[in-house]
Amino acid sequence: MRSRTKSRAAAAVTAAAALLGGLTACGPAGQRAGADRPASPAASAAASAPASASASPAAARSGQEILTEAYEATRKAESMRVAATVQQDGKPMKVDLSLDRKGNCKGEIRVDGMGRLDVIKSSESVHFRGDNAYWRGAAKLKHAPQKQADQMVAMLADRWIRIPASDPRAAPMTGSCDLSKLTGDLDHASPLARKGETATVDGKQTLAVTSPAKQGTQTDYVATQGKPYILKSTVMGDSTGEALFSAFDVPVDTASPKDADVLDMSKLGGPAGESV
């Protein structure tokens, strides 16, 4: 039986990969060589049960019912922090983002060969800061001459860059910082879902529930106290990955960087879509 379940770790990193790839095209406009889960119809009792482990003992429910409740609770969270590690194009990629349903986010992305990218997105603007390796990788992707690559690194490495949220170059952030999109597959729990052992995740008690996934076998760790959020997801099989979820309903801090040397791309010349 084919499952529609999609790994949360993979979903988080896919979104971040779009962000990472899209922002390699961002740089000072006009600069040249001299310049930059899842829930299927469940029993009505499970759907209406309060989001509390004590309201419906796990022993009395199936794995599908437990996941249905967990998916609903997680899908309703207004914000959360996602820390995921997967293989992206054969390379380890790590994502640590706090994001909400308004499209705000803050965090960092790391991938072998592309260094680190820090991101802050609000409704007004996107701030991002790449390290030396990020800008070297960006230059390589654009086949920039060595001299231009050196100049990009000298100008931009470890420096915050601001782009108006309305700028077309900020488009990669639309999906990457959209919590609704990230949790959009939390709609059909597999009828094959099976309860496993209890486990501790970040100091909290959880119940492991295993389901078939396109990438292999997925295990979701559901909180057994308080709201039944998914606190961790892992996938094992053709691909592997892990995602941790925390800080539910905690507002995302989108304050602009406290740095006077921010490069504001809206004040540079050239067409909005032009890049280094």
Side-chain angles (χ1 to χ4, degrees):
M1 180 179 294
R2 184 175 180 179
S3 170
R4 292 179 56 198
T5 302
K6 181 179 181 182
S7 163
R8 251 70 68 199
V13 172
T14 297
L19 181 164
L20 186 73
L23 290 184
T24 61
C26 292
Q31 300 292 342
R32 290 293 186 273
D36 139 295
R37 246 163 347 135
S40 86
S44 58
S48 61
S52 169
S54 61
S56 183
R61 294 179 295 163
S62 68
Q64 182 184 15
E65 290 172 329
I66 291 171
L67 280 187
T68 294
E69 186 182 41
Y71 291 162
E72 181 179 6
T74 305
R75 192 172 61 243
K76 288 183 176 179
E78 289 300 316
S79 63
M80 68 180 70
R81 178 182 177 185
V82 182
T85 302
V86 299
Q87 293 289 319
Q88 180 71 20
D89 297 328
K91 299 179 180 179
M93 184 174 186
K94 295 183 178 181
V95 178
D96 190 343
L97 287 176
S98 294
L99 61 167
D100 65 23
R101 299 197 182 282
K102 297 179 181 179
N104 300 311
C105 73
K106 180 178 182 179
E108 66 179 57
I109 303 164
R110 292 175 179 269
V111 62
D112 279 5
M114 282 298 295
R116 168 176 170 164
L117 182 69
D118 299 312
V119 177
I120 303 173
K121 179 186 178 293
S122 68
S123 59
E124 293 81 27
S125 63
V126 175
H127 287 84
F128 70 97
R129 177 177 61 185
D131 62 8
N132 186 304
Y134 172 81
W135 287 109
R136 288 287 178 194
K140 183 177 181 180
L141 288 175
K142 297 179 70 62
H143 306 291
Q146 184 63 45
K147 181 179 179 180
Q148 184 178 359
D150 292 342
Q151 291 170 333
M152 286 173 61
V153 172
M155 273 198 317
L156 305 175
D158 300 314
R159 182 181 188 181
W160 284 105
I161 297 175
R162 178 186 181 278
I163 312 174
S166 58
D167 191 304
R169 288 167 294 187
M173 297 297 297
T174 303
S176 305
C177 290
D178 187 343
L179 181 58
S180 296
K181 186 174 182 179
L182 179 64
T183 59
D185 70 324
L186 299 181
D187 57 355
H188 289 87
S190 171
L192 296 177
R194 184 175 184 178
K195 294 182 293 185
E197 302 295 325
T198 58
T200 301
V201 176
D202 195 23
K204 299 178 178 63
Q205 289 299 309
T206 67
L207 176 67
V209 182
T210 302
S211 306
K214 186 179 296 185
Q215 297 90 350
T217 299
Q218 179 167 304
T219 302
D220 291 313
Y221 295 81
V222 180
T224 57
Q225 295 181 332
K227 291 185 178 181
Y229 291 128
I230 296 170
L231 302 185
K232 178 181 177 180
S233 285
T234 63
V235 62
M236 299 294 293
D238 294 337
S239 61
T240 60
E242 176 180 291
L244 296 172
F245 305 91
S246 60
F248 296 97
D249 294 324
V250 175
V252 178
D253 179 9
T254 59
S256 298
K258 299 184 183 302
D259 189 336
D261 197 26
V262 174
L263 180 60
D264 191 339
M265 292 182 64
S266 67
K267 297 180 180 179
L268 298 176
E274 192 172 354
S275 61
V276 292

